[in-house]
């Protein structure tokens, strides 16, 4: 009985030793195979330099103030003509929820 178990165990070990577990590396891709594009990397989430407050004020005056108003309360002359209410960016509750990357600078006013 011991001899039979030893022979079975030896046979199993010999078969396992003969197996090559790297079969996936041996597969040749098809002729027109294009490997998948690697995932895009995110740019830095924080600017390397501190923002220029004076330049930001000029951009706000040009692009945002017509709709959001000079104080950012949504009372600009163009904002009053819109069929929807303009966000009051100057309110602390609105400003605290704002994510700088989601704000549109240089885009459509409003």
């Amino acid at each position: 009985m011991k001899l039979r178990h030893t022979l079975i165990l030896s046979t199993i070990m010999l078969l396992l030793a003969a197996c090559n577990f790297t079969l996936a590396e041996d597969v040749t891709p098809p002729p027109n195979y294009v490997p998948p594009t690697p995932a895009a990397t995110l740019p830095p989430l924080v600017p390397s330099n501190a923002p220029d407050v004076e330049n930001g004020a000029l951009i706000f005056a040009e692009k945002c103030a017509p709709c959001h108003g000079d104080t950012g309360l949504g009372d600009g002359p163009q904002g009053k003509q819109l069929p929807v209410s303009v966000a009051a960016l100057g309110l602390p509750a609105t400003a605290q929820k704002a994510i700088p990357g989601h704000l549109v600078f240089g885009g459509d006013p409003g």
Side-chain angles (χ1 to χ4, degrees), residues 5-109:
H5 288 294
T6 305
L7 285 175
I8 292 173
L9 184 61
S10 298
T11 305
I12 291 173
M13 290 177 63
L14 183 63
L15 289 174
L16 287 176
C19 290
N20 185 355
F21 293 107
T22 60
L23 294 176
E25 294 175 4
D26 298 336
V27 174
T28 304
N32 294 323
Y33 175 74
V34 177
T37 306
T41 56
L42 292 174
L45 299 177
V46 178
S48 57
N49 300 337
D52 183 6
V53 176
E54 292 175 10
N55 189 36
L58 292 174
I59 293 172
F60 183 85
E62 179 186 343
K63 304 288 184 183
C64 307
C67 292
H68 294 283
D70 292 332
T71 58
L73 297 178
D75 57 353
Q78 290 180 7
K80 292 176 184 176
Q81 299 172 4
L82 294 173
V84 294
S85 62
V86 178
L89 301 176
L91 294 176
T94 305
Q96 288 172 352
K97 292 187 278 184
I99 298 172
H102 292 170
L103 298 175
V104 178
F105 293 115
D108 294 335

